[in-house]
Amino acid sequence: MKKKSIKLLVVLACVLMALGMAGCGKKAYKTFPEKYKLASVDVGGMTADEAKKAIKTAVGKYKISVKLDDASFDMTAKDLGLKYNDKADLQELINAANKDKKPEKQVKLFKMDKSDELETALVDSYITAKTQSQSDATAQSDTDAEANDDEQKKAEADTQTFDIRSIVPYRATIAYNAEAGQFEGVDGVSGDAPVYDNAATNLTSAVKELKDKVELTSATGYVDGEKATDSDLVKKALKEANAYLDVMVTCNFTPATGEAATETVGKDQIAQWLIVGNDGLSVSLDGENMATYCTELAKKHDVSKKKTGQFKTTGGSVINVPVTSSGQTVDGNKLYEAIAEAINNKKSATVEAVYSEAKEEETGEYVTYGGNYCEVDLTNQMVYVYKNGELVVSSQCVTGCISKGHGTPTGVYSIFSRDKDRYLRGDGYKSWVNFFIPFNGGIGFHDASWRSTFGGNIYLYSGSHGCINMPYSAAKKLYENVTLDEKVIVYGGVDKVAGKAQSFGGAGSYNVTEGDGAFNLGVTAEDNAKLTYSSDNEGVVRVDENGNVTIAGVGTATITVKSEATTSYKAGSKTITITVNAKPQPELQRPTVQQQPEQNSQQQVPKPVTKKNANVSVGKSEIMLNVNETSNIDIKTISDTVVTIETSGGDAAVASLGIDGSIVAKKAGQVKYKIYCKATSNYNESNIVYITINVKETSELQQPETSEINNAE
């Protein structure tokens, strides 16, 4: 019995050893295979920790370009609520990838905290894009049309704002009735309407793979436009909205010197600050309009004394500025916070305005504001930011629209807030911005992703509602370099525009012959307005920024000349038709028999030389670089001459492109180059290729299109 037990133990031990050895044989890999991708992020050769860091970085910088029906817009990781899932088992994915198998268990790389709100976020972004598109179209119409003939159309266009309810039908909703002094229900309209749930699902799928763009479409669904009185949701919304109107805020102003005063904020004022959301059932405060009110209230009860100082602008001109010498000033920001708190809590309250002793500002020869301030030059549409006396930001901008009465007010102000990632709302617009730095009520600096160009005379007819629109990179840098209470000096500009239609000088058409030399169109415009030129057929003629035309082939082309608006004239355009005729071929003179010497009787008549086709190709059509980074593209040609490189669009100062393909990135922005070979005696003019160079201040992770793992919550 004892021997059998010992024998059994030996056998059992062997079995256990075998199982242990089998377990030891299960290989745990350390890195992903080369060129392996997780959700479009190249993690080839990375450990689990390295891959985690790379994916987190990609998520932090993630942005997807969305086309939804007839609107286009961008959404960031923050808009989507996209985060990396720290509990993701990347070792499981490494093992599966090296075995070229699917993971044994599901691995969720991401979380989407706003997945339940994604449809709402899509609709919000859609409305914002449509609103801006409508605003741009109205501005363009105002610019191109005759002032007198278009006054009625302009007045009508100004009153129209894109709203989701403009796409009937719609559900029962709420609206403010000024005559009744309260919110009331609005009956809905039944019928088929766009539904965005499938669009939200498809967006989620694209985000799972960290794709950089996606095209979505709405579906059609039935909307029950019930009566407001029958809707429990409307009843609840009305109770919530009207509760705001029951609030009374009493503001006491008690300066150390001067008379005390009281201001009351009641129903009539609060009603102007309430905005009904896109769902038609929620109400929130309009921060911009409220901030403007509080700023004006603070100015009204300011008891500080001022004197005049002189300020030297970046351009070298000297302007007069008010300089505080003594007394007390009201903290407008704290006043805003106190009033907003009372209204949001839906409780009446009494708030005490906070006064502070004014500090006498040192002037010297010129007021310097301690070397830390912002300048807004309305005339030249430029923003300058100084930090410790050094210029750290110099950027073009677009300020308030003059033709619509939204001109940015001049004066000296103080920065009272530094906000990020929010909507700006107002009469007829709702726009998402990444940075918002207000200094005069609801007027402030912010990025404007809906604009492709800045500066010039855009502000005259297509400016903002008063804010300072800036490119993203410049707004970001301004945000990083300013502090609360820093001064903002706004100066220059014009108060009104005449609105005259632009007139052009120069011929309306040209009839030329193949082989003729280059010529200038000779176009002039009133007020020496800046002109831009474009050809609709560069295979026939090309035109440069100065109106010089080069003949490229036989045919007809139309050149469009556009002028910028000036203080006296609207923007305008003119078309010029150019017809290029074929060059007449000389007739070959054949000698008669009598004229031919006998020995030359067999001589062949020379044939015209047939030109070869030239060709140009480039290795890449688009390059992404960081500032001061260099690169190179492969430019291949079939021709007996070097390539010609010309600027085709964007800012030529962004980067340089040499004929050897060398690229040097100089500043943030975009430039487009046109590359071709000119005709020679042996070669026809080549095809035209383009290369776009994008330069950013910080590097962005390259995101390939394909994905192996795309799990998300």
Side-chain angles (χ1 to χ4, degrees):
M1 182 73 180
K2 192 173 182 180
K3 287 183 179 179
K4 287 183 178 180
S5 298
I6 293 172
K7 190 174 181 180
L8 183 61
L9 287 172
V10 171
V11 172
L12 183 61
C14 291
V15 171
L16 291 172
M17 286 179 66
L19 290 172
M21 289 178 68
C24 293
K26 188 175 181 179
K27 187 176 180 180
Y29 297 87
K30 292 184 178 181
T31 63
F32 284 101
E34 292 297 324
K35 299 182 179 180
Y36 192 80
K37 303 179 186 71
L38 285 178
S40 297
V41 180
D42 189 352
V43 295
M46 294 184 183
T47 64
D49 287 343
E50 291 170 340
K52 176 181 177 180
K53 185 178 180 180
I55 297 170
K56 272 191 167 183
T57 301
V59 170
K61 297 179 179 180
Y62 182 64
K63 180 174 70 175
I64 185 169
S65 297
V66 181
K67 186 177 188 303
L68 175 58
D69 294 339
D70 57 345
S72 298
F73 48 88
D74 292 337
M75 300 186 76
T76 65
K78 191 166 185 176
D79 300 332
L80 300 160
L82 180 67
K83 296 178 181 177
Y84 176 77
N85 181 18
D86 286 310
K87 295 182 179 179
D89 187 355
L90 292 187
Q91 186 60 51
E92 176 75 21
L93 299 180
I94 288 177
N95 292 339
N98 279 282
K99 296 177 181 179
D100 198 24
K101 294 182 178 179
K102 290 185 177 180
E104 294 180 2
K105 61 182 180 181
Q106 187 182 27
V107 179
K108 297 179 179 179
L109 289 177
F110 308 118
K111 296 179 179 179
M112 291 184 68
D113 294 343
K114 297 182 180 179
S115 57
D116 295 338
E117 307 169 21
L118 199 55
E119 186 176 342
T120 301
L122 263 178
V123 175
D124 280 352
S125 298
Y126 178 77
I127 291 172
T128 299
K130 289 290 291 184
T131 300
Q132 187 59 50
S133 176
Q134 182 188 62
S135 176
D136 290 345
T138 300
Q140 186 61 44
S141 176
D142 293 344
T143 299
D144 294 341
E146 294 286 341
N148 294 334
D149 294 341
D150 235 25
E151 281 302 315
Q152 184 61 36
K153 290 181 180 179
K154 181 179 181 298
E156 294 173 357
D158 286 345
T159 62
Q160 296 173 356
T161 304
F162 180 84
D163 190 291
I164 198 64
R165 288 176 297 170
S166 67
I167 307 174
V168 295
Y170 54 86
R171 295 179 177 86
T173 183
I174 64 174
Y176 182 71
N177 187 330
E179 293 183 1
Q182 63 180 10
F183 283 89
E184 296 179 345
V186 179
D187 293 340
V189 176
S190 299
D192 291 329
V195 177
Y196 297 93
D197 51 356
N198 288 336
T201 300
N202 293 333
L203 175 61
T204 301
S205 299
V207 173
K208 287 179 182 180
E209 301 176 8
L210 294 187
K211 289 185 175 180
D212 58 1
K213 58 184 177 182
V214 64
E215 290 193 12
L216 308 172
T217 56
S218 61
T220 301
Y222 184 78
V223 171
D224 183 10
E226 62 184 333
K227 289 188 175 294
T229 53
D230 297 333
S231 173
D232 292 336
L233 291 175
V234 170
K235 293 175 183 177
K236 182 181 178 182
L238 286 175
K239 184 179 179 180
E240 186 83 6
N242 284 319
Y244 284 101
L245 303 178
D246 293 333
V247 175
M248 180 76 72
V249 184
T250 303
C251 305
N252 291 329
F253 297 85
T254 314
T257 59
E259 297 182 2
T262 298
E263 300 276 359
T264 301
V265 181
K267 176 190 293 186
D268 292 341
Q269 183 59 64
I270 294 173
Q272 297 178 38
W273 298 338
L274 295 176
I275 298 175
V276 178
N278 295 327
D279 60 0
L281 298 170
S282 60
V283 173
S284 61
L285 280 174
D286 175 4
E288 279 68 57
N289 283 333
M290 188 175 167
T292 299
Y293 175 88
C294 291
T295 298
E296 293 302 316
L297 205 59
K299 286 182 181 178
K300 180 180 177 180
H301 296 281
D302 188 325
V303 292
S304 64
K305 294 181 180 180
K306 304 264 192 305
K307 62 182 181 181
T308 300
Q310 289 191 315
F311 175 79
K312 191 172 185 179
T313 70
T314 300
S317 62
V318 178
I319 61 174
N320 291 330
V321 293
V323 180
T324 302
S325 59
S326 61
Q328 290 183 306
T329 59
V330 180
D331 191 324
N333 196 34
K334 290 183 178 178
L335 185 65
Y336 171 93
E337 291 173 351
I339 295 174
E341 182 180 10
I343 297 173
N344 282 321
N345 290 334
K346 303 180 184 68
K347 291 183 179 181
S348 297
T350 299
V351 301
E352 300 291 335
V354 177
Y355 279 87
S356 59
E357 292 295 327
K359 297 180 180 179
E360 183 170 359
E361 298 172 0
E362 297 182 4
T363 58
E365 183 180 4
Y366 298 114
V367 182
T368 62
Y369 303 107
N372 298 295
Y373 59 88
C374 304
E375 276 183 59
V376 181
D377 181 348
L378 298 176
T379 302
N380 296 301
Q381 293 290 281
M382 291 293 297
V383 173
Y384 305 104
V385 180
Y386 286 85
K387 191 175 182 68
N388 298 323
E390 297 292 328
L391 180 64
V392 295
V393 177
S394 176
S395 171
Q396 291 181 316
C397 65
V398 176
T399 59
C401 185
I402 302 300
S403 66
K404 294 184 178 181
H406 299 314
T408 304
T410 59
V412 180
Y413 309 93
S414 297
I415 291 173
F416 64 83
S417 182
R418 295 169 67 254
D419 297 338
K420 291 182 69 177
D421 303 329
R422 57 167 294 181
Y423 282 112
L424 299 181
R425 302 173 185 262
D427 185 17
Y429 70 92
K430 175 185 174 186
S431 302
W432 177 265
V433 298
N434 296 279
F435 309 98
F436 181 54
I437 306 93
F439 57 82
N440 179 15
I443 294 176
F445 302 98
H446 63 78
D447 53 302
S449 60
W450 52 91
R451 294 190 183 275
S452 58
T453 57
F454 299 82
N457 290 320
I458 296 172
Y459 80 112
L460 296 177
Y461 293 94
S462 190
S464 71
H465 288 80
C467 283
I468 317 300
N469 293 184
M470 302 175 66
Y472 174 89
S473 59
K476 180 176 183 291
K477 199 166 183 180
L478 183 147
Y479 177 88
E480 295 169 344
N481 282 280
V482 299
T483 59
L484 299 183
D485 297 324
E486 248 179 53
K487 297 296 183 183
V488 179
I489 306 95
V490 185
Y491 58 90
V494 295
D495 297 325
K496 60 181 181 180
V497 289
K500 296 179 183 177
Q502 182 63 268
S503 61
F504 297 88
S509 63
Y510 289 85
N511 201 308
V512 296
T513 302
E514 181 186 16
D516 288 352
F519 61 96
N520 190 275
L521 294 172
V523 179
T524 59
E526 303 291 346
D527 277 1
N528 293 317
K530 183 180 179 182
L531 303 176
T532 58
Y533 303 82
S534 63
S535 170
D536 71 343
N537 190 346
E538 294 196 339
V540 176
V541 294
R542 299 188 303 273
V543 60
D544 66 14
E545 60 185 6
N546 298 315
N548 297 313
V549 176
T550 302
I551 298 171
V554 176
T556 301
T558 299
I559 291 180
T560 301
V561 187
K562 292 184 177 181
S563 68
E564 285 190 352
T566 69
T567 56
S568 300
Y569 293 88
K570 292 183 176 184
S573 64
K574 168 181 181 172
T575 58
I576 302 171
T577 302
I578 299 182
T579 302
V580 181
N581 302 300
K583 185 178 182 179
Q585 296 296 319
E587 293 185 6
L588 297 174
Q589 298 294 321
R590 297 177 179 270
T592 63
V593 176
Q594 292 81 2
Q595 295 172 321
Q596 287 185 19
E598 187 175 340
Q599 61 270 25
N600 296 331
S601 60
Q602 300 303 315
Q603 183 178 341
Q604 298 294 315
V605 177
K607 297 181 179 179
V609 176
T610 302
K611 290 187 178 182
K612 302 175 183 177
N613 290 325
N615 185 68
V616 175
S617 63
V618 295
K620 293 182 178 179
S621 61
E622 188 166 3
I623 298 287
M624 182 77 72
L625 298 173
N626 298 319
V627 174
N628 297 324
E629 190 177 354
T630 61
S631 185
N632 193 278
I633 61 165
D634 186 16
I635 302 177
K636 295 180 179 179
T637 64
I638 300 176
S639 181
D640 55 4
T641 187
V642 297
V643 296
T644 297
I645 299 177
E646 298 173 353
T647 305
S648 177
D651 184 357
V654 168
S656 64
L657 174 62
I659 60 174
D660 60 348
S662 59
I663 302 171
V664 179
K666 299 178 179 179
K667 71 173 191 176
Q670 183 186 82
V671 60
K672 188 175 183 180
Y673 283 103
K674 177 171 66 177
I675 306 171
Y676 65 98
C677 287
K678 294 181 178 179
T680 68
S681 57
N682 297 317
Y683 286 86
N684 297 313
E685 183 174 87
S686 74
N687 60 307
I688 299 174
V689 295
Y690 296 89
I691 176 173
T692 302
I693 304 172
N694 296 290
V695 180
K696 298 192 178 291
E697 290 185 339
T698 56
S699 58
E700 295 185 357
L701 183 68
Q702 301 254 341
Q703 299 175 353
E705 294 182 358
T706 58
S707 171
E708 298 292 335
I709 304 295
N710 55 16
N711 304 107
E713 291 181 342

